[in-house]
Amino acid sequence: MSHTVAPATQDLLVALRLALGDAHVLTDGDLSSYEQDWRKRVRGKALAVVRPGNTQEVAAVVKACAKAGVSVVPQGGNTGLVVGSIPDTSGTQVLLSLQRMNAVRAIDADNLTLTVEAGCVLQNVQHAAEQAGFLFPLSLGSEGSCTIGGNLATNAGGTQVVRYGNTRELCLGLEVVTAQGEVMHTLSGLRKDNTGYDLRNLMIGSEGTLGIITAATMKLYPLPAVSLTAWAAVPSVEHAVKLLGLAHQHLGAGLTGFEMMGQFALSLVDKHYPQLRVPLWQDTPYCVLLENSDTESEAHARSRFEHLLELAFEDGCVTDAVVAESLSQARNLWHIRESITLAQAEEGLNIKHDISLPVSAIPAFVASTDALLTREIEGVRIVNFGHLGDGNLHYNVQAPEGSDNQLFLQTQEDRVNTLVYDAVKALGGSISAEHGVGSLKVDTLPDYKDPVALALMRHVKRALDPQGLLNPGRVVR
Ligand code: FAD
Ligand code: 2HG
Ligand code: ZN
């Protein structure tokens, strides 16, 4: 397919080809993997997909685009869930894929750090750390395709946050290409550095709107000597919260995962992946997946873990439980948890809500919002699961059985969002816990974000990207 392009655009394409070589400036062929979001909700159209191989090439692309007044959309693994990593439909934006920048630059064992390029797939970062005898704890269902640059740009969370924090907490230094095409060399491995404004933390979570992350220095941890996993049936959300309190009390920093999964969420895994054999889900409204990792001996850790479960049984927090007897059993249990997103995709599009609340407010939120939605929309199905240990729920709303999912989204999405987000706001929560804002929530954010904070965000955007060329229309307008 050939394009008719304006002379200025033609000049830009020539400059990009000169900088990267023809093979890494794509304008023809099937570009859907770059132009379509992971959930297949939106398809954009890029002027060109560029694939720089190093930081200087990223800077050259940004400079050429700034000169031409063309906007740049950075993309890592394109697994984001808020439509932030694809071009708009105008055909005028350059999609900058970081995937070729995937080297592990250095591992500093004494400093407990590793320095990686932004396009490194998360799973490869985990493997590199493990091969050096360390743990890189960030863990997401998308880890086979998402990149560390995307994780930083979204400040991704995942299933180990309760112990190790979000991506932000794992990062010590960044290398960033600015909107002007300059390179900010702040790839430090320092744990202490009070030399002014924290630009690293400004870039983290900015979703490609303030700069393009090209490399990062990340923290490493000792590999745990033992990891224990249990799958427990709990009679209510209140009981799950009580179990979380017990786990904090008895496991301390050894508590590395605490996930809650509602019955409907698990029924979708059972329906679409019956081979995974979801345990206990049929007779209980919620299950909890609990992980305890430690550096002490297995026998000691196991007896403490089992003691915790005994107490939970006595308290009525847990009505039934399975403790993994081997690594492969533990992996299977985690695989079930990580399959919920895929099972939802099989069932058809739903309305996603990635929300956070104080843990103490979660039982009231679930009780009142379940009741509200059930009253308002007959037959509505709620896919409720998430990282309860972090106060983060994926409170997704699925169309009634047998109805048209697309039509449901078209007619109900705004109304359902208002119902859910108003309830979140009333309880002091956030409408984006870990996925970010992207373009999906950019117009909703002003209704829920503190207006002074939002105004400051706009000032920051104008100061760092006065031409408004870095991922425009995402996070703030
Ligand atoms: P992309 O999707 O490519 O981009 C995401 C955003 O970051 C975009 O705004 C993009 O412009 C920007 N960006 C990407 N790379 C750069 C860069 N180098 N510099 C500047 N900006 C950049 N998220 C969680 O937080 N927790 C989970 O548990 C979780 N589980 C998931 C499970 C599944 C099955 C899927 C599909 C997604 C899940 N996600 C989860 C969402 C997603 O994987 C994360 O947001 C991830 O961090 C995105 O990484 P990516 O490389 O795919 O980024
Ligand atoms: C998870 O925790 C992801 O599995 C995806 O954040 C959540 O599918 C979702 O809504
Ligand atoms: Zn999540």
Side-chain angles (χ1 to χ4, degrees), residues 1-3 5-29 31 46-52 57 60-62 64-65 94 100:
M1 194 175 74
S2 67
H3 303 266
V5 278
T9 311
Q10 199 61 262
D11 289 350
L12 173 63
L13 292 175
V14 169
L16 294 174
R17 290 200 168 102
L18 262 176
L20 308 188
D22 287 356
H24 299 303
V25 180
L26 316 176
T27 50
D28 295 321
L31 300 178
L47 169 67
V49 172
V50 298
R51 296 164 35 86
E57 289 184 1
V61 169
V62 175
C65 289
V94 167
R100 283 180 65 225

Side-chain angles (χ1 to χ4, degrees), residues 87-258:
D88 66 18
T89 51
S90 66
T92 62
Q93 299 187 309
V94 167
L95 189 287
L96 188 154
S97 166
L98 277 301
Q99 275 173 339
R100 283 180 65 225
M101 291 187 58
N102 59 9
V104 176
R105 287 194 190 162
I107 294 185
D108 184 339
D110 290 340
N111 197 43
L112 289 174
T113 51
L114 122 163
T115 298
V116 284
E117 291 184 343
C120 251
V121 169
L122 175 56
Q123 206 165 58
N124 296 342
V125 181
Q126 295 166 344
H127 284 160
E130 204 176 327
Q131 280 185 343
F134 297 103
L135 171 75
F136 181 65
L138 186 65
S139 179
L140 321 181
S142 53
E143 63 201 20
S145 349
C146 68
T147 62
I148 196 73
N151 302 148
L152 285 156
T154 57
N155 185 26
T159 53
Q160 300 279 295
V161 174
V162 68
R163 164 72 177 87
Y164 298 100
N166 294 312
T167 311
R168 183 188 300 288
E169 274 86 36
L170 301 171
C171 179
L172 292 174
L174 289 180
E175 180 186 88
V176 176
V177 170
T178 68
Q180 293 71 34
E182 288 170 338
V183 183
M184 182 173 89
H185 294 282
T186 48
L187 256 189
S188 110
L190 301 178
R191 282 170 170 81
K192 287 188 163 184
D193 181 9
N194 284 351
T195 50
Y197 304 137
D198 193 339
L199 299 173
R200 175 193 65 207
N201 272 331
L202 195 55
M203 291 294 165
I204 297 173
S206 68
E207 301 180 47
T209 63
L210 301 180
I212 299 180
I213 298 166
T214 48
T217 298
M218 308 297 293
K219 291 183 194 168
L220 295 173
Y221 289 83
L223 278 167
V226 54
S227 181
L228 302 165
T229 307
W231 181 282
V234 295
S236 69
V237 182
E238 281 86 345
H239 287 95
V241 169
K242 211 167 162 202
L243 176 61
L244 175 63
L246 280 176
H248 276 307
Q249 199 184 332
H250 290 269
L251 305 178
L255 177 64
T256 43
F258 196 100

Side-chain angles (χ1 to χ4, degrees), residues 81 140 157-159 259 337 341 354 385-387 392-394 434-435:
L81 297 174
L140 321 181
T159 53
E259 300 286 314
R337 158 63 184 89
T341 298
D354 160 43
F385 68 105
H387 320 286
N392 174 192
L393 291 183
H394 299 303
E434 59 171 7
H435 295 164

Side-chain angles (χ1 to χ4, degrees), residues 38-41 264 268 271-273 340-352 381 383 396-409:
W38 188 87
R39 297 182 71 201
K40 299 192 168 54
R41 280 196 68 165
F264 180 60
L268 291 181
K271 175 176 170 186
H272 297 289
Y273 308 111
I340 298 175
T341 298
L342 296 167
Q344 289 174 92
E346 292 291 335
E347 187 72 6
L349 276 178
N350 63 23
I351 307 172
K352 277 196 190 294
R381 299 177 296 166
V383 190
N396 302 335
V397 178
Q398 190 92 39
E401 175 107 58
S403 57
D404 180 332
N405 294 307
Q406 292 281 1
L407 189 66
F408 181 71
L409 258 69

